[in-house]
Amino acid sequence: MVKRRDFIKWAGASGIGFAAGAFDMLAMAEETSAAFVPVIPTNTGIKGNVVVIGGGMAGATAAKYLRYWGGTGVTVTLIERDATYASNIMSNLVLNGSRTMSSLQYGYGKLASSYGVKIVKGDVVAIDPVGRSVTLGSGTRYAYDRLVIAPGVDFDVLPGLETATAQAKVPHAWKAGPQTTTLRNMITAMPTNGSGVFVMTIPAKPYRCPPGPYERACVVADWLKRNRPGSKVIVLDANPEIIAEKHSFEEGFALHGIEYRPNTTVLSVDASTMTLDTNNGKVPGAVLNVIPPHRAGKVITANGLADADGKWTSVDVLSYEAKLAPGIHVIGDASATTQPKAGHIANQEAKVCADAILRMFSGRALDQAPVTNSACYSPITFETASWLTVTFAYDPVSKTMLPVPASAGEASARSKDNFEEMNKWFTALMGDTFA
Amino acid sequence: MKQGKIMRALVLALAVSPAFAQTTTTAPPSGRLLASNCFQCHGTNGSGGLERLAGESVSEIYNELKEMQRKSPPKMMDMHARGYTDAQIRLIADYLSKQR
Ligand SMILES: Cc1cc2nc3c(=O)[nH]c(=O)nc-3n(C[C@H](O)[C@H](O)[C@H](O)COP(=O)(O)OP(=O)(O)OC[C@H]3O[C@@H](n4cnc5c(N)ncnc54)[C@H](O)[C@@H]3O)c2cc1C
């Protein structure tokens, strides 16, 4: 919200008189525009050549801040396989028809034009950590002084989901894109007589966006209640209990009549009979939304960088440099840290990483007390949301990011105000990442 | 095993990689990295988003954050403010007050 003193400052600067009506108008203009015009320092004296793999929440932020803070002496090449980024955040709201996939696309034009990031469309297949270069599928090589890898996650292939046909019938939609639209279409195709059952499954942690699956269950159940009354939503959770925003989601599940079965792991999927086999028996459904266990993106696992559980990269959280791979930094979902795998905090990890790389380039000591924060709004119905937040601070004893207990909490109740705030938060977060 | 081989190569690479030379760069402003925690909701450099912060006075930002730390029941930002020490809040306020 715009405070009165801001308005007075603004009005004074622009020489316009004070009028009560104008206050609201200006307040709106400021909230919706937020046009940030960056000034890139021409030369900070810092020199270096960084390649960033993956232009998602973590990689795009890192590329931007390396230039914004580092200046023109720092060459930054961002390699991304897709022409535009489809935001996972808010993609659950495509499932109830309140957002479209096209409204969730973010391009790389601003990173290039405002910050001078070199954008390369390509898929990195190989990394040479000794010779310090990466190679694209096309064979082109890019040399680096420091490499940032931010490829997000890949999904395990569950028994029964090996073929493209089976995957099309049982989508995860846990990477926003065509599968999100497929799942939306499956939901709207559920029988109008209310006989349909929507079954979704949640993998054991860590997976990306801890509250995300519970949020999805609420949003889908809310839509079905109003549009396909009588339909049922069943949530099969491999975890022993709701792992994030427990209070909000317990209320949400009660509100929507969602059936919740903890400690339930999918063993295999039969896409032809639309039935899941679990450790707690067989579960059929009209729609099956199976979210498989995750691992870091393939560029990590295929290049010998997955030293944590064979799935993720362990990093020093002062710099996000891989513990076993000097010169290579891993940020976002792909690294193994005490922080959640989420977009808001991936953006902050990227800033810590960018700051550290710039210090390394200029021979300075790293910041010994980094702070990161996670913040998340979760829609519970089409018009209300809850929230969750926590700040992490570096602990020199355990050398990990530890939650600051006083800063950890969730909304006491879902509300329309939270829903409105969520939209502003999302716009600001994507702006800080891509513009 | 492939992984073991790569790891060994990397450890070797570490041993021979040159140390970074000290250059004549200016130190990053203190408070910048801390204050960048605000940018996800308040825009890059506090330029807007939920509320513009850039260019507010040090005391405005400091006092507001201290007030939020005590607010009950806490809204999201009140909760978030509780994540910083007094010294950190001073650094954040100082940095944001200098942004335009
Ligand atoms: C339904 C859903 C809702 C969510 N809601 C929230 C939320 O409300 N708040 C929140 O904070 N988080 C949320 N998340 C989590 C968030 O989306 C992720 O944690 C975040 O995107 C992680 O950022 P990242 O940069 O690590 O990966 P990503 O954002 O996935 O980006 C990875 C990028 O790397 C590219 N890439 C991968 N490999 C290569 C390669 N070899 N070569 C070139 N490019 C490559 C990919 O194309 C992609 O663009 C949600 C997730 C989902 C699925």
Side-chain angles (χ1 to χ4, degrees):
Chain A
M1 270 146 294
V2 179
K3 286 170 295 192
R4 206 160 195 88
R5 63 171 179 273
D6 287 326
F7 170 72
I8 295 166
K9 257 190 289 185
W10 202 97
S14 56
I16 54 169
F18 193 90
F23 175 79
D24 296 333
M25 253 171 54
L26 287 173
M28 272 177 60
E30 184 174 86
E31 277 163 15
T32 47
S33 66
F36 173 67
V37 184
V39 182
I40 305 279
T42 44
N43 199 345
T44 61
I46 303 175
K47 282 195 184 64
N49 174 24
V50 185
V51 168
V52 181
I53 304 175
M57 298 306 293
T61 308
K64 164 175 165 170
Y65 279 90
L66 279 163
R67 290 282 297 182
Y68 186 45
W69 288 343
T72 51
V74 181
T75 304
V76 179
T77 306
L78 175 62
I79 307 175
E80 164 60 49
R81 65 160 71 107
D82 293 330
T84 58
Y85 177 73
S87 171
N88 299 308
I89 306 180
M90 296 296 132
S91 68
N92 281 336
L93 291 180
V94 172
L95 302 179
N96 71 356
S98 56
R99 288 196 182 241
T100 59
M101 272 316 294
S102 57
S103 77
L104 294 178
Q105 305 297 320
Y106 293 83
Y108 298 98
K110 281 266 170 61
L111 293 184
S113 65
S114 300
Y115 301 93
V117 173
K118 294 181 184 168
I119 309 291
V120 172
K121 187 171 178 300
D123 202 328
V124 175
V125 292
I127 298 169
D128 174 0
V130 181
R132 299 208 174 198
S133 73
V134 304
T135 307
L136 305 191
S138 64
T140 314
R141 271 174 42 149
Y142 292 86
Y144 65 80
D145 296 333
R146 295 214 156 250
L147 175 66
V148 178
I149 316 183
V153 298
D154 270 349
F155 300 93
D156 289 0
V157 178
L158 292 172
L161 288 181
E162 294 85 357
T163 66
T165 322
Q167 287 168 18
K169 286 184 82 175
V170 184
H172 53 71
W174 212 242
K175 174 179 170 41
Q179 284 204 357
T180 313
T181 307
T182 304
L183 187 59
R184 161 72 181 158
N185 293 339
M186 288 175 167
I187 293 167
T188 54
M190 279 175 69
T192 47
N193 67 7
S195 63
V197 180
F198 177 94
V199 183
M200 71 172 286
T201 77
I202 306 174
K205 62 180 183 184
Y207 59 83
R208 71 173 171 195
C209 195
Y214 309 106
E215 162 188 311
R216 174 176 288 179
C218 286
V219 166
V220 170
D222 178 52
W223 187 87
L224 289 173
K225 207 166 63 181
R226 287 177 292 108
N227 296 280
R228 302 288 184 274
S231 309
K232 198 173 168 142
V233 172
I234 299 176
V235 175
L236 308 179
D237 193 346
N239 298 288
E241 58 175 5
I242 293 176
I243 66 166
E245 287 175 68
K246 193 162 188 269
H247 162 76
S248 300
F249 290 123
E250 275 175 355
E251 283 193 0
F253 282 18
L255 175 76
H256 299 310
I258 294 168
E259 185 179 327
Y260 178 65
R261 302 185 194 164
N263 295 311
T264 305
T265 306
V266 181
L267 304 176
S268 68
V269 179
D270 188 338
S272 58
T273 61
M274 290 297 280
T275 305
L276 302 178
D277 191 16
T278 79
N279 60 323
N280 288 324
K282 292 198 190 300
V283 186
V287 178
L288 300 179
N289 175 209
V290 173
I291 305 173
H294 309 4
R295 54 185 61 234
K298 191 175 170 202
V299 70
I300 295 279
T301 51
N303 283 286
L305 293 167
D307 62 320
D309 297 334
K311 294 185 172 194
W312 318 100
T313 306
S314 8
V315 294
D316 170 0
V317 285
L318 289 180
S319 62
Y320 293 87
E321 188 164 18
K323 286 191 178 154
L324 295 170
I328 298 180
H329 303 249
V330 179
I331 51 176
D333 290 349
S335 60
T337 76
T338 51
Q339 302 159 112
K341 299 188 185 301
H344 184 104
I345 199 161
N347 165 296
Q348 196 57 31
E349 291 175 14
K351 292 169 187 159
V352 175
C353 175
D355 179 79
I357 287 175
L358 296 174
R359 286 167 187 266
M360 288 168 162
F361 281 153
S362 42
R364 285 178 197 285
L366 299 179
D367 188 328
Q368 296 298 310
V371 172
T372 59
N373 81 94
S374 186
C376 181
Y377 290 87
S378 302
I380 304 288
T381 68
F382 71 101
E383 59 176 3
T384 63
S386 62
W387 53 258
L388 173 70
T389 185
V390 57
T391 300
F392 290 85
Y394 184 70
D395 169 43
V397 177
S398 64
K399 296 189 164 64
T400 61
M401 298 298 289
L402 290 186
V404 178
S407 74
E410 63 171 299
S412 53
R414 63 180 175 274
S415 76
K416 290 184 184 178
D417 280 357
N418 291 340
F419 196 91
E420 272 172 37
E421 223 170 77
M422 171 181 79
N423 291 330
K424 292 178 195 166
W425 157 75
F426 177 61
T427 306
L429 173 62
M430 299 317 272
D432 189 41
T433 305
F434 290 97
Chain B
M1 205 181 98
K2 192 181 173 201
Q3 185 140 323
K5 205 168 120 197
I6 289 177
M7 295 303 175
R8 272 195 303 280
L10 285 169
V11 171
L12 263 176
L14 178 65
V16 298
S17 71
F20 286 100
Q22 182 77 45
T23 58
T24 53
T25 58
T26 47
S30 59
R32 183 176 71 184
L33 184 56
L34 262 179
S36 70
N37 276 291
C38 310
F39 302 173
Q40 287 102 313
C41 298
H42 296 276
T44 303
N45 268 13
S47 55
L50 276 122
E51 177 188 327
R52 186 181 167 85
L53 302 173
E56 289 201 356
S57 73
V58 175
S59 62
E60 273 178 313
I61 301 170
Y62 177 83
N63 290 334
E64 203 170 349
L65 284 167
K66 295 304 279 189
E67 217 172 279
M68 285 171 167
Q69 289 190 325
R70 291 185 297 264
K71 233 179 240 171
S72 188
K75 295 178 74 173
M76 185 194 265
M77 185 57 219
D78 305 326
M79 208 76 227
H80 178 64
R82 289 158 161 84
Y84 301 96
T85 63
D86 191 69
Q88 288 172 331
I89 287 183
R90 281 179 200 283
L91 283 170
I92 290 171
D94 183 63
Y95 181 79
L96 290 173
S97 72
K98 290 176 182 151
Q99 304 311 307
R100 290 295 168 260

